[in-house]
Amino acid sequence: MINETLKVLESRRSCRKFKPDMIKDDELKAILRAGTYAASGMGKQSAIIIAVTDKKVRDEISEANRKIGGWNEGFDPFYGAPVILVVLAKKDVATHVYDGSLVMGNLMNAAASLDIGSIWIHRAREEFESDFGKDILKKLGIEGDYEGIAHCALGYAADPAKDAAPRKENYVYCI
């Protein structure tokens, strides 16, 4: 038995080439809302989401991420996505990395359900340990000790998604 949710979970793929068009505001709000409903350890909701749609700030974050990753100048680690959702979580909550990871999953699956491409991009931890990231938090009035978990790059896919790779053997064990 397969329903629409299971179809989305099985068909979502990472997007590595985005159209430059900004996603619609109502789509972005729906994706963000889905992120806020991710499960969290003991219901503490340790994660926060910073939605970046301002091109200048988006490009600054991309450049910081590129430098951390060690890529050549001109490379965009967000593959041209016009929207970057940065997920962070409070370090003093024992489950913060798991909480933020579940938010990321909700964001990507919600995007897929709306035919919006997404990809998980790392190096948020390094970004938000730097003065650059701390300055972003300060400008937003975010206080506390947060760890960058990941970025969810969003946009309309420029190419159709590829089929899923076959599932590996021995993925599931039953007792």
Side-chain angles (χ1 to χ4, degrees):
M1 177 174 169
I2 190 157
N3 63 28
E4 289 305 309
T5 300
L6 296 175
K7 286 179 189 174
V8 167
L9 294 175
E10 289 183 10
S11 64
R12 192 212 73 77
R13 296 288 162 272
S14 292
C15 179
R16 289 181 174 81
K17 188 175 180 186
F18 294 91
K19 294 178 181 177
D21 313 17
M22 181 57 67
I23 64 174
K24 296 174 187 157
D25 191 52
D26 61 330
E27 293 169 331
L28 178 57
K29 286 178 181 174
I31 294 166
L32 289 167
R33 182 173 167 85
T36 69
Y37 278 89
S40 64
M42 297 174 279
K44 291 191 175 181
Q45 301 179 40
S46 69
I48 61 171
I49 307 164
I50 300 173
V52 182
T53 57
D54 179 280
K55 182 162 175 26
K56 180 180 180 287
V57 176
R58 178 257 184 247
D59 290 348
E60 289 170 356
I61 293 172
S62 176
E63 180 61 11
N65 194 284
R66 181 199 65 79
K67 287 178 180 175
I68 293 165
W71 290 287
N72 292 333
E73 200 165 318
F75 176 72
D76 178 10
F78 300 120
Y79 303 101
V83 178
I84 307 300
L85 306 180
V86 187
V87 176
L88 303 98
K90 291 190 99 169
K91 286 184 182 179
D92 63 354
V93 175
T95 58
H96 72 281
V97 173
Y98 312 114
D99 295 348
S101 296
L102 286 166
V103 169
M104 285 292 297
N106 273 26
L107 294 171
M108 292 186 299
N109 287 316
S113 78
L114 298 171
D115 293 322
I116 294 172
S118 69
I119 187 168
W120 178 307
I121 302 294
H122 290 283
R123 295 165 297 283
R125 180 177 50 82
E126 296 88 344
E127 281 172 23
F128 285 86
E129 286 175 350
S130 74
D131 290 340
F132 168 78
K134 289 177 183 175
D135 188 48
I136 290 173
L137 296 178
K138 186 176 181 180
K139 286 177 182 174
L140 291 170
I142 298 170
E143 296 180 2
D145 199 11
Y146 284 88
E147 180 173 333
I149 305 301
H151 311 82
C152 180
L154 293 176
Y156 300 115
D159 296 322
K162 295 180 180 177
D163 290 337
R167 300 295 91 183
K168 66 182 181 179
E169 288 188 46
N170 303 320
Y171 211 136
V172 177
Y173 292 83
C174 297
I175 298 176

